[in-house]
Amino acid sequence: MKTGFFAQPHPPYRRANYGFAYQWLEEVGSLAALLAQVEALRAADPDHRYLATLDDVQQYSYTSGHAGMDDRLYLDSLAGMDWDDPAQEAAWNLQALQHRALQLRQAQGPGSWAAVCGSLSTSSDDIAALVAANRNPDALLDDVVYIQRLPLASDDPLIAGQPNGYFSADWDSFQNHAIHQHLAQQHGYQLFAMGASWMALARAEPPDAVQAQAIVDDVQALYAAGDEELLAHPGWQALPALLQLQRSLVLGYTEDMADRWE
């Protein structure tokens, strides 16, 4: 794995819409290796939280920039702000991050998980893609991965650092946060990477058979609630065994997941 820091002179990659871009990675090799890198950064720096990109870093930068302009998330800049002054820009980036985190946290309610279940337009091909992605999550890695170093409190929504869900048919940042919170509370999964179409979470240890089935029951409800054909998809029978082999869980959050997987 090749690594470098955005703070170094003349980094080879632009920060784009990743306001807290800290490190870039090439030749990551596997999702497990990316998780290990993120966890090593967390362990060495408990005062910050770290979030990586996943699939299509450039497309994600574009859609994240637009998603952050959601009226519920956007913070106006101060009148007369000088965008050519790095100190002023850094101060605004911090205020905007804290504003997004507050908005996401305050909007979260006990019914958020139930509301998001079954709300994404999903086909049989999408369920097959979901299973395939969890069988081979390394395929979701882009050639270059960004890691953001986020000055967020431990109870702040991590997606505040990389909001997404820009297109109307996709889950938005608030819906994705509801998913992250439910999976954390019920199954011990924590978000560690967001991409243009997929997101990756991990727990401390792979689940056992009983835990894996409970996780799949929730994921099945998330994508197939109210659709008898999707609830009967054979992919749900294969997923528990896959989850028992790994700490990670990958989920698509955009319309036409199957197309994005290919």
Side-chain angles (χ1 to χ4, degrees):
M1 185 189 308
K2 298 179 181 178
T3 68
F5 296 92
F6 284 93
Q8 72 185 48
H10 310 297
Y13 303 105
R14 294 176 54 251
R15 289 178 182 269
N17 284 316
Y18 303 104
F20 294 86
Y22 174 71
Q23 188 178 50
W24 51 265
L25 313 174
E26 295 178 344
E27 301 175 10
V28 176
S30 69
L31 190 66
L34 176 59
L35 174 59
Q37 180 72 4
V38 170
E39 290 182 330
L41 290 168
R42 287 176 182 167
D45 179 21
D47 291 336
H48 290 85
R49 303 179 73 195
Y50 289 85
L51 181 61
T53 61
L54 194 58
D55 58 296
D56 203 339
V57 65
Q58 296 302 325
Q59 175 68 10
Y60 188 33
S61 171
Y62 172 79
T63 53
S64 181
H66 284 283
M69 298 186 74
D70 183 317
D71 289 341
R72 298 168 294 174
L73 295 176
Y74 184 69
L75 180 68
D76 282 326
S77 58
L78 296 175
M81 179 173 165
D82 182 0
W83 288 99
D84 293 325
D85 181 349
Q88 290 189 45
E89 183 177 2
W92 182 84
N93 278 336
L94 178 59
Q95 291 173 3
L97 173 68
Q98 293 170 337
H99 175 74
R100 292 194 298 267
L102 178 63
Q103 292 294 96
L104 286 160
R105 191 169 63 244
Q106 290 183 338
Q108 183 63 34
S112 298
W113 167 257
V116 78
C117 285
S119 62
L120 186 70
S121 179
T122 311
S123 68
S124 294
D125 288 343
D126 294 326
I127 304 304
L130 176 70
V131 176
N134 280 280
R135 181 177 288 114
N136 182 24
D138 302 347
L140 294 175
L141 292 168
D142 203 347
D143 294 337
V144 178
V145 174
Y146 286 22
I147 297 180
Q148 292 207 88
R149 182 175 184 258
L150 300 167
L152 289 171
S154 60
D155 60 344
D156 280 332
L158 196 55
I159 195 174
Q162 287 176 206
N164 217 340
Y166 164 56
F167 297 107
S168 60
D170 303 339
W171 282 326
D172 64 24
S173 298
F174 291 85
Q175 292 169 307
N176 282 328
H177 171 50
I179 295 167
H180 301 158
Q181 186 172 64
H182 178 85
L183 293 175
Q185 293 173 343
Q186 299 300 317
H187 306 295
Y189 281 104
Q190 300 293 330
L191 178 69
F192 72 94
M194 285 289 298
S197 301
W198 296 83
M199 50 195 176
L201 305 92
R203 47 182 283 147
E205 300 290 341
D208 61 25
V210 173
Q211 292 168 334
Q213 187 58 58
I215 294 163
V216 172
D217 289 345
D218 266 352
V219 175
Q220 184 180 27
L222 180 62
Y223 288 102
D227 189 316
E228 293 300 322
E229 180 180 352
L230 292 183
L231 288 170
H233 193 285
W236 303 121
Q237 305 304 314
L239 194 53
L242 295 176
L243 296 185
Q244 291 175 68
L245 300 175
Q246 57 201 29
R247 295 170 54 202
S248 63
L249 169 68
V250 296
L251 301 172
Y253 68 91
T254 60
E255 186 181 30
D256 299 327
M257 286 192 308
D259 294 342
R260 308 294 182 92
W261 167 248
E262 294 172 356

